[in-house]
Amino acid sequence: METRYATSPKDMKSYDTARLRAEYLIPEVFKADEITMVYSHVDRIITAGAMPVAGELVLTAGAELRAEYFCQRRELGVINIGGKGCVTVDGKIYEVENGDGMYIGMGKQDIRFASADAANPAKFYLNSTPAHKSYPTVLIKKEGEAAEDVVIVKDENKVELGALEQSNHRVICKYILPGQVESCQLVMGMTSLQPGSVWNSMPCHTHDRRMEVYFYFNLPEDAYVMHYMGEPQETRHIVIRNEQAVISPSWSIHAGSGTQAYTFIWGMAGENQDFGDMDNIKNQELL
């Protein structure tokens, strides 16, 4: 598990490209038959990727957490961006299709990831935050019928925003948040840009009470997203390729423009879970 320490906006002003990338970019989320992990001291979020190919992958706490098992003091959000797979939680098997998510509550001890087809492996993207209470473990689907341990994303949590004229027509699908799937502090979802649109999170904002991690995907090899960060009057950018993630401290804006449409998963942790708690920044205020 790699550890990243918190940074100050005053220090960030002096960073060159290499330092910006070293502090905030997670360049390789998925490795075959591995679980990669980055532990950020910003609200103690863990960003991880599990890509089982040859066999099953078991989620362990590692030495860094000083815990008997990964979710002893943590909760976990999962979204599969790859082929069909399954997640086994304390012996119960959940079939997780592409685009499905999961919330796994504190106290679950044995968590395993597997793919249905090694030629088209599952890619489980993970966000984990400290927890103080155990909430039910559920499978989250965008469409279908609710069942025991299966939650369907509500229509009000599928939000269409922007317009093609502003190049920011996008659909936000909220997976984990109050009223949809309960958690201690983790909020998580996915935003898909529509064809012809390239801008996300514009006009931009900060939320000083929460940090955020963006994970960009559905980009061809020669495409990229220009991710913008920093204080509104001290902006910087990081070039991000397919299936890379970026850590956004609470003091930073977090927006992007791509060479074409793309999709990204967002995960938040911090003081509250109010999705609308944002300090909006007018475009003319950016520098």
Side-chain angles (χ1 to χ4, degrees):
M1 187 185 303
E2 181 186 352
T3 299
R4 304 280 183 94
Y5 294 99
T7 56
S8 164
K10 294 179 181 179
D11 294 335
M12 190 274 291
K13 295 177 184 180
S14 65
Y15 291 175
D16 61 10
T17 298
R19 181 69 184 276
L20 280 172
R21 293 174 69 86
E23 295 288 349
Y24 305 113
L25 180 67
I26 303 174
E28 191 170 13
V29 173
F30 292 112
K31 295 181 180 179
D33 290 316
E34 290 187 30
I35 299 179
T36 68
M37 291 189 197
V38 173
Y39 182 113
S40 172
H41 279 241
V42 183
D43 287 305
R44 303 284 172 172
I45 195 168
I46 292 176
T47 301
M51 184 180 171
V53 180
E56 195 174 58
L57 295 176
V58 180
L59 183 63
T60 60
E64 294 81 359
L65 295 185
R66 300 295 194 272
E68 296 178 21
Y69 49 92
F70 188 87
C71 281
Q72 184 177 11
R73 301 183 298 268
R74 286 186 160 268
E75 57 189 359
L76 178 65
V78 181
I79 297 179
N80 181 17
I81 69 159
K84 182 179 178 180
C86 66
V87 179
T88 304
V89 181
D90 285 351
K92 180 166 183 173
I93 299 174
Y94 297 84
E95 293 188 355
V96 186
E97 305 272 359
N98 178 279
D100 288 351
M102 283 195 71
Y103 172 79
I104 301 173
M106 183 187 76
K108 297 300 182 183
Q109 298 188 28
D110 186 9
I111 302 171
R112 300 168 181 262
F113 302 96
S115 295
D117 181 2
N120 183 27
K123 293 182 177 180
F124 298 104
Y125 176 72
L126 317 175
N127 283 162
S128 173
T129 55
H132 60 272
K133 178 181 177 180
S134 181
Y135 284 101
T137 294
V138 292
L139 176 65
I140 308 165
K141 290 182 169 289
K142 292 182 181 179
E143 307 287 346
E145 296 184 3
E148 183 181 2
D149 296 341
V150 179
V151 173
I152 307 301
V153 176
K154 298 177 181 179
D155 289 342
E156 59 264 34
N157 288 326
K158 302 171 187 174
V159 182
E160 190 170 353
L161 293 176
L164 184 59
E165 290 76 11
Q166 283 78 48
S167 301
N168 65 356
H169 185 202
R170 59 200 189 276
V171 177
I172 300 174
C173 190
K174 304 171 186 177
Y175 284 65
I176 301 170
L177 79 168
Q180 171 71 53
V181 171
E182 299 299 322
S183 66
C184 292
Q185 66 163 316
L186 179 64
V187 177
M188 195 172 180
M190 181 188 298
T191 297
S192 300
L193 273 71
Q194 303 304 291
S197 288
V198 297
W199 281 98
N200 78 68
S201 308
M202 268 292 176
C204 65
H205 60 266
T206 61
H207 27 69
D208 203 43
R209 293 143 298 278
R210 293 174 300 179
M211 65 82 67
E212 194 158 8
V213 177
Y214 275 11
F215 169 71
Y216 292 98
F217 66 106
N218 283 345
L219 282 161
E221 185 177 356
D222 62 346
Y224 63 88
V225 172
M226 197 75 77
H227 179 85
Y228 305 102
M229 64 166 299
E231 294 177 294
Q233 283 73 50
E234 279 286 347
T235 56
R236 301 289 188 272
H237 72 269
I238 298 177
V239 174
I240 297 184
R241 307 289 177 179
N242 188 46
E243 297 184 3
Q244 294 183 332
V246 61
I247 298 167
S248 178
S250 58
W251 46 262
S252 176
I253 67 166
H254 35 283
S257 59
T259 55
Q260 65 173 72
Y262 50 89
T263 306
F264 66 99
I265 296 171
W266 40 268
M268 292 183 278
E271 180 72 20
N272 65 32
Q273 295 178 292
D274 181 0
F275 187 85
D277 178 15
M278 303 175 187
D279 298 314
N280 294 307
I281 311 298
K282 295 180 180 179
N283 284 342
Q284 55 267 39
E285 295 175 346
L286 292 173
L287 294 177

